Amino acid sequence: MTILNIISPLGAIAQQTRQAASKLAVLSTKDKNQAIEAIAQALELAKDDILQANLADCQAATAAGIAQPLYKRLLLDEHKLRDAIAGVRDVGKLEDPIGKVQIHREIDTGLILKRITCSLGVLGIIFEARPEAAIQIVSLAIKSGNGVILKGGKEALRSCEAIIKAIKQGLFHTTVNPDVVQLLTSREEILELLQLDKYVDLIIPRGSNAFVKFVQDNTRIPVLGHADGICHLYVDQFADIAKAISITVDSKIQYPAACNAIETLLVHSSIAAEFLPQVAAALQAQNVELKGDERTLQILPNIAKATEIDWQTEYSDLILAIKIVDSLNEAISHIENYGSRHTEAIITEDITAVETFQGLVNAAGVYHNCSTRFADGFRYGFGAEVGISTQQMPPRGPVGLEGLITYKYQMSGNGHIVKPYTGANAKSFSHRDL
């Protein structure tokens, strides 16, 4: 009896991507870098088309009543596009992560073991808004030798189509097959993508808490990502007030829709009376809505009262919850209870407090005297990022090239067999690193 192997249209696309990725995985660094530069040039040539597509997306989203934080993520202006293209070129300058020898060891005379870095295969990336994410992801995927299947949110469909069209045009005259990059356009394709464990090696969701959990619950493919971005800034009793005000404002208002913007400000009680009125004035001048606990309301009586829900909320907007604490340990305890292990920061001139905070706070990023907004692959020098991971196991934090590779063990011998190394008179291994 003949068994028919029927592949769905999406399965065929994934199979095609995998075949193209297998050839990409063994290309030289020069070939990959030429492809990355070709992408940058193609995006520059298509700049007007991409911006017009984004304008149409923004207009449609506004008419549909899109939430303000999501709108800010959707908007792709000339500056964002320029920075994204610069990020592509930065990826091209990075060291090639493929083919690195991590272990080179003699097991015994003539029997040599190596551990070599290699690409994962095919990435499935599902993201909301932020069309520039497609640019970052593709450049990182190509540099790391991976194919990529992208599914953007419906609100960014036109933008993503224009971007991927330009990228494929850029790849057309390079040694990289344009089939390594695919764009899905319907919501129904998400569930099917999550079932393609035969062709897809890693899923990276970028979206709401509920969406990330949905992805995790509906696939056997490994998932890398984070659900929440509830970040805290703790202003210690030994903080420099001028620094604390500047960093607080930047951490909240520089890009409030970002997952690394602070949602809760913790303030030591001994500095609260002096610090809070000044920081409140600076924040309110930037249209930030403030909420505070009972003790904060005694100093700032005209702000809203914070509830238990506020400590658990990622606003992604110009809203900030404030709580007064009596000690460094109380601040750390609050972060342990409510933080999402994304990015946490302390403002202080006390080095002992810094060491305690950075040692005890469990997060992907733990900062001292600087804005939480630095938690970003581009700012870390990764060129770009495919997302941020808050899981305990690596990769953790902004995920660049190093999070998109794996390794394989290669062994070479000369007729070696295991039998002489077993039994009463077993031969010893040399285990000598070369």
Side-chain angles (χ1 to χ4, degrees):
M1 183 177 68
T2 301
I3 299 176
L4 296 177
N5 186 16
I6 300 174
I7 302 177
S8 69
L10 180 52
I13 289 172
Q15 185 181 55
Q16 188 179 34
T17 308
R18 193 165 192 84
Q19 290 169 348
S22 67
K23 296 176 182 177
L24 169 63
V26 295
L27 285 182
S28 69
T29 302
K30 180 181 178 181
D31 284 337
K32 290 188 288 186
N33 287 344
Q34 287 176 342
I36 289 169
E37 175 58 28
I39 288 173
Q41 292 180 16
L43 290 168
E44 287 173 336
L45 289 173
K47 179 184 72 173
D48 291 342
D49 290 340
I50 293 169
L51 294 177
Q52 283 297 319
N54 184 253
L55 177 62
D57 280 335
C58 289
Q59 290 173 340
T62 300
I66 189 173
Q68 189 62 20
L70 195 59
Y71 178 85
K72 290 178 181 178
R73 295 179 182 181
L74 172 62
L75 179 63
L76 180 63
D77 58 23
E78 191 166 347
H79 301 297
K80 272 190 187 179
L81 182 57
R82 178 201 63 203
D83 289 347
I85 295 171
V88 172
R89 290 195 164 105
D90 284 342
V91 170
K93 297 172 187 175
L94 295 174
E95 185 178 0
D96 193 334
I98 302 300
K100 301 300 180 187
V101 180
Q102 298 180 326
I103 294 175
H104 188 194
R105 181 170 298 156
E106 178 193 81
I107 303 302
D108 196 2
T109 303
L111 186 62
I112 306 300
L113 174 72
K114 290 182 181 180
R115 189 169 79 189
I116 310 288
T117 58
C118 58
S119 58
L120 286 170
V122 175
L123 315 174
I125 317 287
I126 311 169
F127 59 99
E128 294 177 345
R130 283 209 187 108
E132 70 271 22
I135 297 173
Q136 299 172 346
I137 290 162
V138 169
S139 60
L140 287 169
I142 288 175
K143 186 70 181 237
S144 58
N146 292 297
V148 61
I149 301 174
L150 297 160
K151 173 62 182 76
K154 64 178 181 180
E155 68 282 346
L157 179 59
R158 299 174 186 85
S159 305
C160 289
E161 287 179 330
I163 287 168
I164 299 305
K165 178 182 178 182
I167 288 172
K168 283 179 170 286
Q169 287 174 339
L171 291 176
F172 188 75
H173 295 292
T174 74
T175 53
V176 175
N177 187 335
D179 287 344
V180 298
V181 181
Q182 305 286 353
L183 177 69
L184 307 185
T185 57
S186 73
R187 186 176 182 84
E188 292 72 29
E189 290 171 308
I190 295 176
L191 262 179
E192 187 178 352
L193 174 65
L194 297 180
Q195 307 309 311
L196 295 176
D197 52 299
K198 182 177 179 181
Y199 303 114
V200 180
D201 300 280
L202 181 68
I203 296 287
I204 305 178
R206 297 177 61 167
S208 67
N209 184 1
F211 177 69
V212 173
K213 289 182 176 178
F214 169 82
V215 170
Q216 292 169 334
D217 291 342
N218 286 277
T219 187
R220 293 180 296 183
I221 304 169
V223 177
L224 186 152
H226 76 282
D228 289 320
I230 302 177
C231 303
H232 299 78
L233 182 65
Y234 167 56
V235 180
D236 185 54
Q237 60 182 321
F238 299 112
D240 179 304
I241 286 182
K243 285 182 190 175
I245 293 171
S246 173
I247 292 169
T248 301
V249 172
D250 187 82
S251 296
K252 180 71 251 184
I253 69 101
Q254 198 276 329
Y255 190 8
C259 57
N260 57 14
I262 59 169
E263 308 295 8
T264 299
L265 178 66
L266 302 172
V267 182
H268 195 284
S269 56
S270 67
I271 203 174
E274 181 182 5
F275 171 69
L276 282 176
Q278 295 182 60
V279 77
L283 289 164
Q284 289 170 333
Q286 299 290 337
N287 300 312
V288 178
E289 176 189 343
L290 302 178
K291 299 183 177 185
D293 67 347
E294 292 286 358
R295 298 169 75 183
T296 300
L297 293 178
Q298 293 174 14
I299 300 171
L300 303 174
N302 296 322
I303 69 172
K305 182 179 179 180
T307 67
E308 176 68 18
I309 295 299
D310 290 298
W311 313 131
Q312 305 171 30
T313 300
E314 181 181 7
Y315 301 112
S316 300
D317 204 351
L318 290 173
I319 305 171
L320 182 66
I322 304 173
K323 182 178 182 179
I324 294 176
V325 296
D326 288 322
S327 68
L328 171 61
N329 285 337
E330 186 180 346
I332 293 173
S333 178
H334 181 95
I335 292 169
E336 182 67 23
N337 286 333
Y338 298 102
S340 59
R341 300 186 177 183
H342 191 298
T343 306
E344 311 291 357
I346 181 174
I347 311 301
T348 188
E349 302 304 308
D350 179 5
I351 190 61
T352 301
V354 175
E355 291 172 350
T356 301
F357 188 86
Q358 292 190 322
L360 294 180
V361 169
N362 182 9
V366 188
Y367 292 2
H368 167 226
N369 282 359
C370 58
S371 171
T372 58
R373 286 283 292 122
F374 282 108
D376 175 83
F378 178 74
R379 297 185 178 110
Y380 279 12
F382 297 168
E385 67 180 41
V386 293
I388 290 184
S389 172
T390 57
Q391 63 190 19
Q392 286 294 101
M393 295 294 290
R396 199 179 192 201
V399 179
L401 291 176
E402 82 293 338
L404 301 180
I405 62 171
T406 184
Y407 53 78
K408 65 178 69 172
Y409 289 96
Q410 298 177 351
M411 186 176 286
S412 296
N414 186 22
H416 288 75
I417 61 174
V418 169
K419 186 176 180 180
Y421 301 93
T422 62
N425 299 309
K427 186 178 180 183
S428 297
F429 293 108
S430 59
H431 287 162
R432 181 172 66 94
D433 287 330
L434 303 176

